[in-house]
């Protein structure tokens, strides 16, 4: 069993070495993340800030640690 496992590991290591050599000789191509990564990140941060800013300002919540005495039921509309 040991020689068989060693042979399997050797094949795996050889495959990794071949892949590394092939990729080392390739010309570097920029990917989507290289081109637009920072722009997407900034856009997401802007949307996040805008949405939560709207929610916090339009929610009408009174900020406090305890809701006791502040929460009152509203009239039911039919």
């Amino acid at each position: 069993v040991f020689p068989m496992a060693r042979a399997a590991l050797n094949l795996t290591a050889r495959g990794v070495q071949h892949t590394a050599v092939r990729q080392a000789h390739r010309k570097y191509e920029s990917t989507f993340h290289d081109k637009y990564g920072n722009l997407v990140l900034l856009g997401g941060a802007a949307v996040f800030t805008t949405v939560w800013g709207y929610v916090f300002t339009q929610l009408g919540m009174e900020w406090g640690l305890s809701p006791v005495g502040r929460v009152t039921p509203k009239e039911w509309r039919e």
Side-chain angles (χ1 to χ4, degrees):
V1 175
F2 180 71
M4 188 188 232
R6 187 170 35 163
L9 286 175
N10 191 17
L11 286 176
T12 303
R14 191 176 306 145
V16 170
Q17 287 171 347
H18 284 281
T19 303
V21 168
R22 258 187 280 132
Q23 290 180 351
H25 290 291
R26 272 182 29 192
K27 194 174 184 181
Y28 180 75
E29 300 171 6
S30 59
T31 63
F32 176 84
H33 298 288
D34 293 332
K35 290 181 183 178
Y36 307 110
N38 291 334
L39 188 64
V40 170
L41 180 66
L42 291 174
V47 169
F48 176 86
T49 304
T50 304
V51 168
W52 281 110
Y54 178 80
V55 167
F56 285 138
T57 57
Q58 300 298 319
L59 197 59
M61 178 189 279
E62 288 186 18
W63 295 98
L65 295 177
S66 175
V68 175
R70 294 183 185 180
V71 178
T72 57
K74 292 184 178 180
E75 290 292 324
W76 180 259
R77 288 185 277 170
E78 292 189 34

